[in-house]
Amino acid sequence: MQDLSQFKEKFGTFSVSDKTYHVAANFNDLCDMEEVAGCNLLEALNNVAQTGECTAKQLRGLLASMLVTATMPDWPKDHKEQLKAAGQLIRYNTANNIAIAIAEAFYREVSPELGDKFRETMDGQAQLAAVKNDIGTEEKHDQSQEVVAPAM
């Protein structure tokens, strides 16, 4: 198994089922996967990095082309099979984190410091959303316990 620690500053990371995965921007891999994916992956990468948006097909193609598989000996070698395997990692509850990791890898390719700032911003937004969700849940809980007397 390869030691990838020297490349760590180039990775975006995400987790699925308690397993951590790494993605890295590589133009050649993006080009190789683009034809198989059937969509413009460079455009998708720019969209994800700038707006966080892409289609499901684009997300799957980006993940398949950017996933760091050096430590995954069972990862398929065939591009079509890689697309299918990448699609198995994308779920409704993981898609957003995968897109964030892809954008992080894009920014890290430009500059590791820019990647750090992007990740800090995303982590801060996630914490804020969690707090808002907790507050909303508490408000709903408090309202559900409210007893209204019948009108006379």
Side-chain angles (χ1 to χ4, degrees):
M1 201 171 291
Q2 276 186 296
D3 176 23
L4 300 175
S5 60
Q6 66 188 20
F7 303 108
K8 182 173 87 170
E9 66 184 24
K10 298 285 187 175
F11 294 161
T13 59
F14 67 95
S15 296
V16 175
S17 301
D18 296 325
K19 182 172 181 183
T20 300
Y21 295 89
H22 305 285
V23 289
N26 180 307
F27 191 77
N28 286 329
D29 291 340
L30 201 67
C31 291
D32 290 346
M33 189 59 71
E34 193 170 64
E35 186 175 328
V36 179
C39 57
N40 185 333
L41 295 180
L42 186 57
E43 179 183 335
L45 181 58
N46 284 324
N47 288 343
V48 167
Q50 292 177 17
T51 67
E53 297 178 4
C54 66
T55 67
K57 185 185 274 192
Q58 289 172 330
L59 183 60
R60 184 178 71 159
L62 285 171
L63 181 57
S65 68
M66 295 176 69
L67 196 61
V68 177
T69 60
T71 60
M72 301 167 60
D74 296 334
W75 191 255
K77 303 295 183 231
D78 176 73
H79 287 319
K80 286 184 181 181
E81 294 302 316
Q82 289 173 355
L83 274 175
K84 290 178 187 176
Q88 294 298 315
L89 295 175
I90 302 170
R91 302 173 185 144
Y92 291 109
N93 64 339
T94 63
N96 189 53
N97 289 337
I98 291 170
I100 289 170
I102 287 169
E104 179 185 6
F106 173 82
Y107 287 118
R108 286 188 181 287
E109 184 62 27
V110 174
S111 150
E113 294 80 20
L114 190 57
D116 289 342
K117 286 181 183 178
F118 175 79
R119 178 51 80 171
E120 288 169 13
T121 300
M122 292 294 99
D123 288 347
Q125 287 179 0
Q127 289 172 352
L128 180 61
V131 167
K132 286 181 178 179
N133 186 42
D134 287 346
I135 291 170
T137 302
E138 287 174 11
E139 286 176 0
K140 287 179 186 174
H141 181 70
D142 290 344
Q143 290 172 359
S144 68
Q145 293 180 357
E146 209 172 275
V147 177
V148 179
M152 297 281 199

